[in-house]
Amino acid sequence: MKKKIQSLVIAIVLVLCSVVPSFAYSQLERPVIEEVKTGKQSICINWQYIENAMEYDIYRSTSPDGKYYYQCTSDESWYRDYDIKKGTRYYYKVQAISWDGDSNSRLSKWRSARVKKPAVKHTNSTAARNTTRYPTSGISQSQTVYITNTGSKYHRYGCQYLWNSCIPISLNTARSYGYTACSRCW
């Protein structure tokens, strides 16, 4: 009788141990990036919500087969990237993270986007230009200088004030529009 009870207990334990608990999760589903939008100075990616995902890790690269670097963690199913350089194409992947960290999803397939560089705009308006002229010695009158969309000075290429716009123009034309030399680069 004792042997029968032991055999029955062992059988029950084996049956209970072989059944997967109902609260255990398998690996999370792989996210799918559904939409990539570009703004003037950002890229926004949206992906499908993954059931049982606690958060999402976002990775970025500058080539599809290159190394993907961790960007951030989000508890939403979207991410907006402001840390971009206009004209550079960026590739994104997303990973769903589980609450226990053991059943995280695989990385999504990559999606890419590029914020276009702004078109160079030439302006012929002289109404807001300062007409005071300063002598500039040692430069050719046909030399190319650079102006901005909003300033009243002309600059050498690489001047710190050309960070927002950089419009090439001849020195003669710049002077005829009332531009004067930048005190930093001249």
Side-chain angles (χ1 to χ4, degrees), residues 113-141:
R114 176 177 58 95
V115 174
K116 294 179 182 176
K117 289 183 178 181
V120 176
K121 297 178 184 175
H122 293 280
T123 178
N124 291 330
S125 172
T126 59
R129 305 284 181 229
N130 182 354
T131 58
T132 307
R133 296 181 190 212
Y134 296 99
T136 308
S137 60
I139 60 171
S140 165
Q141 297 299 310

Side-chain angles (χ1 to χ4, degrees), residues 19 25 27 39 45 49 88 91 108 125 150 165 168 174 178-179 183:
V19 174
Y25 295 110
Q27 183 177 24
I45 61 172
Y49 169 81
T88 301
Y91 299 83
S108 67
S125 172
T150 58
S165 58
Y179 287 93
S183 61

Side-chain angles (χ1 to χ4, degrees), residues 5-35:
I5 292 176
Q6 280 180 337
S7 298
L8 182 62
V9 169
I10 290 173
I12 291 172
V13 169
L14 287 174
V15 168
L16 289 176
C17 290
S18 66
V19 174
V20 176
S22 63
F23 58 84
Y25 295 110
S26 61
Q27 183 177 24
L28 293 177
E29 187 179 336
R30 182 182 197 180
V32 174
I33 299 174
E34 297 174 333
E35 185 176 37

Side-chain angles (χ1 to χ4, degrees), residues 64-84:
D65 300 321
K67 180 171 179 158
Y68 283 79
Y69 295 95
Y70 171 80
Q71 289 298 109
C72 72
T73 298
S74 173
D75 57 358
E76 303 288 338
S77 59
W78 63 273
Y79 168 68
R80 184 174 299 275
D81 190 358
Y82 291 99
D83 187 22
I84 60 167

Side-chain angles (χ1 to χ4, degrees), residues 30 33 63-65 68 89-94 107-113:
R30 182 182 197 180
I33 299 174
S63 68
D65 300 321
Y68 283 79
R89 180 166 293 278
Y90 293 101
Y91 299 83
Y92 296 91
K93 289 186 177 186
V94 177
L107 286 171
S108 67
K109 293 183 179 179
W110 61 263
R111 290 284 304 265
S112 70

